[in-house]
Amino acid sequence: MAVAEHKRVTIAEFEANAVATDKLGEFELDAAVLGLIGEVGSLVSALKKKRRDADSFFGYHTAVVEELGDVLWYVSAVARRGGTSLVEVFMRAASNGNLGDRKYFNSLKPQDAGAQNTFEASLLVLAGEAGDLAKRFAVGAYRDNPDALRGDLIKFARPLGEAAATVGVSLDDAAAQNIAKREDRWPTKPHFPELIDDDLHIDEQLPREMRVLIYERDVNGTKFVFQKAGGILLGDRLTDNHLPADDYRFHDVFHLAHAAVLGWSPTTRALLKIKRKSRREVDENEDGARANLIEEGLTTWIFETAKQHRFFASTPRLGLDLLKDVKRFVRGYEAEYLPMWLWESAILQGYAVFRELQAVRSGVVLTDMAQRKIWYESMTEADKALCGLS
């Protein structure tokens, strides 16, 4: 999302959002300190990549903006747990300007306007302050001593402002983008986005409810997976196309999950022959072969990750990095604007159904787009007869 799309936020507004999206645990100062040190390390890593890869590191500026926003978030987390606040730290760190100006992050200007420090030099100072903060925390210097913590966070904040200034990044923009990212992942007031095809004729809408029979059958010594809806076969019979076998032949359930939870699935549209023909550009670009390949590629990539984690059987939450990569995968398509928290729901619900199919080798997959749900039920005797499994 472009910087221009973000509203300028005050330090107090940023801190309020940080409180609402904080998942670290109320009293875990150690986790907050470790997180802060880690984000400073990520800033240093971005610099290292820039030096190593030169012009091939296209995401350098974006990475710096994101990491600076994460640093601000962790400063807030540390301050709050140590008996102070982000507002107090930055108001005191920004000694220049009047009180009204100091309600924004950009009031934290380099103290020596004539200095020509490099980003590298500023980062070294920042890393040094982070190291000192970690050492003092380790020896208990902040226990019941908010003044000591506040003083060290102020010393940390000043080179942070210096680093942002030397690389031409606005801390206000970094803060706004951080809020946007966290609302995308951990919304304070989650609500389902409008369905992409809501304004189209029903003939071009993904079915709001589906009941699909999915089953495995042996054909001349080879195990295939079939799908039926309304007594009609959908798509081709599937094998794993992989050695060793890993049950990927049941993977169409993930496309059904995308359709039901996200309201997006070029593959499901192709299977059901409900492309949006009334809108030529949408039909060609969003429902075409390339979009279909994007979804298939994304599904395969997630599957390889899921295999390493028991197909997410004990994974109540997906990692932020995985969800960010999912959104990068669909960049340039309408699915790019679907929030990360909804992607997480689609993926985890899809894998819950997949594990049921994997265990039983057949079943009924039901979807309800109004509730953004997909779930599994056992086949009835009539279902089995329809699939030739009786």
Side-chain angles (χ1 to χ4, degrees):
M1 189 176 291
V3 170
E5 296 177 17
H6 298 303
K7 167 186 170 287
R8 192 185 189 196
V9 297
T10 65
I11 300 171
E13 288 171 334
F14 180 87
E15 185 154 43
N17 182 265
V19 171
T21 58
D22 193 330
K23 309 294 181 184
L24 294 179
E26 186 177 355
F27 303 109
E28 296 178 4
L29 180 57
D30 53 348
V33 170
L34 287 171
L36 179 58
I37 305 306
E39 294 304 335
V40 173
S42 295
L43 267 174
V44 175
S45 178
L47 171 62
K48 179 193 71 177
K49 290 179 182 177
K50 175 65 173 176
R51 282 191 160 183
R52 182 190 66 199
D53 301 332
D55 290 342
S56 63
F57 185 17
F58 298 114
Y60 175 66
H61 186 271
T62 300
V64 169
V65 172
E66 180 173 357
E67 298 303 342
L68 283 170
D70 287 341
V71 168
L72 292 174
W73 191 92
Y74 275 102
V75 171
S76 172
V78 170
R80 191 165 60 255
R81 287 167 175 78
T84 182
S85 71
L86 186 71
V87 171
E88 191 169 18
V89 167
F90 271 82
M91 289 282 278
R92 295 194 181 191
S95 56
N96 55 314
N98 61 52
L99 196 62
D101 291 336
R102 281 187 266 164
K103 68 180 182 178
Y104 296 105
F105 287 103
N106 278 359
S107 63
L108 192 64
K109 303 294 185 185
Q111 290 187 308
D112 183 357
Q116 296 296 318
N117 290 347
T118 63
F119 184 47
E120 293 91 328
S122 301
L123 271 186
L124 287 172
V125 175
L126 185 67
E129 294 293 349
D132 288 346
L133 193 148
K135 285 188 290 186
R136 286 170 59 75
F137 168 74
V139 298
Y142 306 133
R143 192 174 296 120
D144 300 321
N145 193 349
D147 290 338
L149 177 61
R150 185 184 306 111
D152 285 349
L153 287 176
I154 290 169
K155 290 198 297 181
F156 176 88
R158 286 171 178 151
L160 180 65
E162 183 83 42
T166 55
V167 80
V169 168
S170 160
L171 281 181
D172 284 349
D173 288 342
Q177 290 197 49
N178 185 268
I179 287 179
K181 179 178 76 173
R182 292 187 178 278
E183 284 293 324
D184 197 44
R185 176 65 186 90
W186 300 286
T188 50
K189 296 179 180 179
H191 65 277
F192 295 135
E194 291 184 5
L195 292 170
I196 293 169
D197 58 7
D198 244 356
D199 60 338
L200 292 173
H201 189 276
I202 192 171
D203 290 344
E204 295 188 351
Q205 291 180 346
L206 287 167
R208 278 20 187 180
E209 295 182 358
M210 286 187 280
R211 188 176 190 275
V212 182
L213 309 179
I214 298 182
Y215 56 99
E216 185 178 68
R217 188 161 65 85
D218 189 292
V219 180
N220 296 326
T222 301
K223 292 185 183 299
F224 292 96
V225 165
F226 297 80
Q227 296 183 103
K228 275 186 179 176
I232 298 173
L233 283 170
L234 301 179
D236 298 323
R237 58 188 186 180
L238 300 174
T239 64
D240 287 347
N241 297 130
H242 187 275
L243 289 175
D246 56 9
D247 289 331
Y248 190 70
R249 52 189 176 274
F250 288 102
H251 83 277
D252 274 344
V253 70
F254 306 131
H255 300 306
L256 294 174
H258 293 163
V261 182
L262 301 171
W264 170 85
S265 176
T267 303
T268 301
R269 286 188 179 278
L271 284 173
L272 300 178
K273 296 181 172 56
I274 47 173
K275 295 176 69 178
R276 290 167 284 183
K277 295 289 186 181
S278 66
R279 296 182 178 173
R280 181 177 175 182
E281 288 189 355
V282 172
D283 176 37
E284 181 177 347
N285 300 303
E286 300 290 354
D287 297 343
R290 185 170 171 183
N292 201 328
L293 287 172
I294 289 291
E295 187 185 4
E296 290 286 4
L298 175 65
T299 301
T300 303
W301 174 74
I302 295 173
F303 190 80
E304 290 304 313
T305 299
K307 278 200 294 188
Q308 301 172 38
H309 299 277
R310 298 174 53 242
F311 296 110
F312 301 138
S314 302
T315 308
R317 293 284 183 268
L318 297 179
L320 177 60
D321 286 344
L322 184 146
L323 293 170
K324 284 163 58 178
D325 285 340
V326 165
K327 294 198 70 169
R328 290 189 189 104
F329 217 107
V330 297
R331 185 173 293 159
Y333 293 89
E334 57 193 359
E336 174 184 358
Y337 302 101
L338 296 168
M340 282 189 273
W341 66 268
L342 195 62
W343 274 104
E344 177 186 58
S345 179
I347 293 166
L348 291 180
Q349 287 191 59
Y351 273 92
V353 176
F354 171 83
R355 293 192 301 272
E356 296 272 16
L357 290 169
Q358 191 179 38
V360 182
R361 317 309 291 180
S362 66
V364 185
V365 176
L366 297 106
T367 71
D368 183 339
M369 288 179 71
Q371 298 185 59
R372 305 299 178 101
K373 287 180 61 178
I374 180 170
W375 68 99
Y376 170 93
E377 290 183 1
S378 299
M379 282 190 179
T380 64
E381 290 303 316
D383 291 331
K384 292 178 182 177
L386 188 63
C387 299
L389 300 178
S390 300

